[in-house]
Amino acid sequence: MISMKNVSKVYIADKPPALSDIDVDIAQGEFTFLVGHSGSGKSTLIKLLLREILPTTGEIIVAGQDVVHMRNWKIPFLRRNIGCVFQDFKLLPNKTSYENVAFALEVIGKSKHVIRTQVPEVLKLVGLDDKAESYPDELSGGEQQRVSIARAFVNRPPLLLADEPTGNLDPATSLGIMSLLNRINKTGTTVVIATHDREMVDSMRKRVIALENGKVIRDQSRGVYGYGD
Amino acid sequence: MAISPGYFIGEAWSSFRRNWVMSLVAVTIIYISLLLVGTFFLTGAIVNRIATSFEQKVSISIFMKDGAAPADVQALQGDMQKDPRVDSVSYVSKTQALERFKERTKNSPQLVEQLRGNPLPASFEVKLKDPRQVAAVVKTIKADPALAKVIKNAEEDVHWGQTIVENLFAATGIVRLFVLVFVILLLVVSLVLIGNTIRLAIYSRRKEIGIMRLVGASNGFIRTPFLFEGVFQSVVGALLASGTLLAAQAFLVPWLQRNLRFLPVSISGTTLAQLTGLLLLSAVVIGLAGSGAAVRRYLKV
């Protein structure tokens, strides 16, 4: 699903690179945590996968597409294969939950009929079928994150990227979000989560890739957050 | 991609409703700007018409000597009427000239009583299609051999008020230029102002554009509702401005006509149609250009 070979990213020439010589392979259907301190390169890695930025060197394949040599006009089509969840939810404030989710389908030209059946379905999956007509500012943080997960997942992308999805949420709510992401993973979707939520990582016992200063320092298949740090 | 234009129109409308404060600001600024442009356009049209009416008063008078042979007079008239620059040639006989004199001096009839016989000459009054060509036409007439047979002296008997005419044309030319420059300046200022307003409205929604990109919306898909919205706002502003101007002129022009009888104040239907066209056309151009340029900035990958 994801293949990164010798990937480096240098933002400013004289400064140490944000990522250096990353080799990562993530198979289809895997559930992977990407852990590390702030500035370790997690977000840079996510941005590379989304083709928001280009690597300085190296090759990246995401969902079968060569991200590095991709034409600009093809980027939207890459992103349709990647569901995205962010710490700040990134919901459209002037659309209801339903419309926020429906938007992801409208964008790829799905018919009204498809929208009318899939949106309620996915809202039910995330447990928000009763909040469909609420605007984001009428929802709690956990509920907003559920809407953003519903939006990311509604067109059933093969890959779901989450950048600090529980960063703004209390532990109990975070647990709910994680189990939701786990359930989505069970449907066959590859899930990659960048986080520094130690408890969460430790309790899930999933693959953990640890980054430090732009390098992979650990890659364990049933890992924990880290030792002592 | 099978997305109907209905989707974009719906999107534009619902975003107009949801962002109605920003939309209202944009529409208001477009309205006021175009109202200013339109006001000066109409003022310019009125000034132009007044200038034209002054210019059309320019005519050439040729005073003939008594006892000129009718054949020669007719020959001269025929020559002048053949000139394509000449609009009309009217003959004023001695008797008609006396009548006009009596009419003009009816407050002091003793003037006429003192006249012995009829000292007034017969004359031609020549009107031109384009009054600006008066000097050239006078030159042609003076070169006509038929002229010498019916007048005493070419310098004295061919009148066209040279100095006044030249000053008049200089004045109307300056007024026209001034009005034109002012309308163009105002139009440019409005374009910049309106473009900026639309950009501001879009800037306030750059987060939305970022999210659209993230969920895989193609650039065209993102841009189109904004373009629809920009054009929609501009057209609403333009229609309001046109409506206000049409209503205002329907009220003001008759008032001016009553109160400034000495000036020929009027606005033709063509001018009003041109005005509406100008405002609507600039609205569409501004709407497209303003929103296009603004969205473009946030679409950079």
Side-chain angles (χ1 to χ4, degrees), chain A residues 80 86 90 92 94 99 107, chain B residues 11 18 208 211 214 216-217:
Chain A
R80 287 172 201 188
F86 293 92
K90 290 200 198 286
L92 294 170
N94 51 8
E99 289 167 331
V107 160
Chain B
E11 241 345 74
R18 280 168 180 154
E208 193 173 332
I211 294 168
L214 216 58

Side-chain angles (χ1 to χ4, degrees), chain B residues 225-292:
Chain B
F226 283 101
L227 295 186
F228 268 93
E229 203 180 327
V231 171
F232 180 69
Q233 289 170 350
S234 309
V235 167
V236 169
L239 286 177
L240 286 175
S242 302
T244 310
L245 286 169
L246 292 187
Q249 70 86 25
F251 170 77
L252 266 177
V253 167
W255 186 85
L256 286 173
Q257 282 167 344
R258 275 198 308 280
N259 291 282
L260 297 170
R261 283 172 200 281
F262 52 93
L263 285 180
V265 178
S266 75
I267 301 173
S268 69
T270 331
T271 307
L272 293 179
Q274 278 172 352
L275 170 78
T276 315
L278 173 80
L279 293 189
L280 279 177
L281 186 72
S282 13
V284 171
V285 170
I286 299 160
L288 280 177
S291 47

Side-chain angles (χ1 to χ4, degrees), chain A residues 177-194:
Chain A
I177 296 293
M178 276 304 164
S179 72
L180 175 60
L181 290 173
N182 200 18
R183 234 183 314 148
I184 284 172
N185 175 243
K186 291 282 193 299
T187 67
T189 307
T190 313
V191 174
V192 177
I193 301 173

Side-chain angles (χ1 to χ4, degrees), chain A residues 94-133:
Chain A
N94 51 8
K95 286 185 191 285
T96 64
S97 312
Y98 180 94
E99 289 167 331
N100 263 291
V101 176
F103 184 70
L105 291 177
E106 285 165 358
V107 160
I108 52 177
K110 287 279 174 9
S111 70
K112 282 216 168 75
H113 174 72
V114 172
I115 292 170
R116 270 198 291 267
T117 54
Q118 286 196 6
V119 175
E121 207 174 282
V122 79
L123 280 175
K124 197 162 185 214
L125 175 79
V126 302
L128 281 178
D129 33 346
D130 55 333
K131 299 279 172 83
E133 296 310 315

